[in-house]
Amino acid sequence: MAIVNIPAESVTLKEDAEVGAFLARHGIDYEHWTPAHPVSADATAEAILAAYGSEIDALKARGGYVTADVIDVKPETPNLDMMLAKFSREHWHDEDEVRFILEGRGLFHVHPSEGPVFAIEVEAGDLIRVPRGTHHWFDLCGDRRIRAIRLFQDVSGWTPHYTESGVDKGFEPVCFGPSYVTRR
Ligand SMILES: [Fe+2]
């Protein structure tokens, strides 16, 4: 289940219903699914997309997404830091950022037009849609592992536009991580 943290208010939301309600107020769709099709650690993107074909088709029908791919990174992924640097500065996209997390964890920071910056820590089973135009940035958690299905309305439109605000520098990418998960 996702966790929301609002540093300026020292508020952390951990209950699914309150996380969903908070995110909905900011136009962010959130659902928690059970990853129902176990795939091996070395499964190819094609195999993962095939295993989740029915879920992907349902999401495409709902959101007008035309294509899907898989992001699959681990600590030993070549050029990982370079890859992550593209997304850890505040930016927006011309289309929705849709992710279904299959494995690992990640941390979105969202900078709404009104109200303080908040962080969303996602884990396996979390489905999140950050609407186009939303100012945000993304970091991995300490385990530097994430495998997620990404959906696109138009792949060519999914270029980050950087705000260059520097706001992201004021927030540490701190995850609750597995220590919280094991307490559930
Ligand atoms: Fe992004």
Side-chain angles (χ1 to χ4, degrees):
M1 307 288 178
I3 301 168
V4 166
N5 186 36
I6 312 159
E9 299 176 354
S10 298
V11 167
T12 301
L13 307 177
K14 297 174 181 172
E15 299 300 326
D16 222 28
E18 58 182 3
V19 166
F22 175 85
L23 294 178
R25 287 200 295 276
H26 289 279
I28 296 171
D29 293 344
Y30 166 71
E31 295 172 25
H32 187 82
W33 295 1
T34 301
H37 311 292
V39 285
S40 65
D42 59 354
T44 62
E46 291 73 21
I48 293 167
L49 294 174
Y52 283 89
S54 60
E55 287 87 347
I56 291 168
D57 286 346
L59 288 170
K60 283 180 177 175
R62 263 166 58 179
Y65 309 111
V66 297
T67 187
D69 73 2
V70 175
I71 177 137
D72 189 350
V73 300
K74 44 193 85 167
E76 59 271 28
T77 298
N79 301 317
L80 180 56
D81 287 325
M82 207 187 307
M83 186 191 303
L84 294 174
K86 281 198 270 187
F87 304 112
S88 62
R89 284 190 289 140
E90 188 181 58
H91 64 274
W92 80 94
H93 307 279
D94 292 326
E95 67 168 73
D96 299 348
E97 183 156 328
V98 184
R99 300 288 179 273
F100 178 51
I101 316 299
L102 297 174
E103 199 176 328
R105 315 181 70 80
L107 191 68
F108 287 93
H109 276 89
V110 174
H111 185 187
S113 53
E114 289 180 25
V117 169
F118 58 90
I120 314 162
E121 183 177 333
V122 293
E123 65 169 2
D126 288 333
L127 170 67
I128 189 165
R129 182 187 70 91
V130 179
R132 66 182 71 189
T134 304
H135 291 191
H136 67 282
W137 61 97
F138 179 82
D139 295 279
L140 288 182
C141 295
D143 58 1
R144 292 163 70 82
R145 173 74 175 122
I146 199 161
R147 180 154 72 170
I149 294 171
R150 311 190 290 188
L151 289 143
F152 300 96
Q153 289 148 330
D154 175 359
V155 173
S156 64
W158 199 75
T159 306
H161 303 294
Y162 297 105
T163 66
E164 307 296 359
S165 69
V167 168
D168 45 277
K169 293 184 177 61
F171 295 87
E172 287 292 318
V174 176
C175 297
F176 283 78
S179 61
Y180 170 71
V181 173
T182 56
R183 286 199 289 115
R184 290 189 306 184

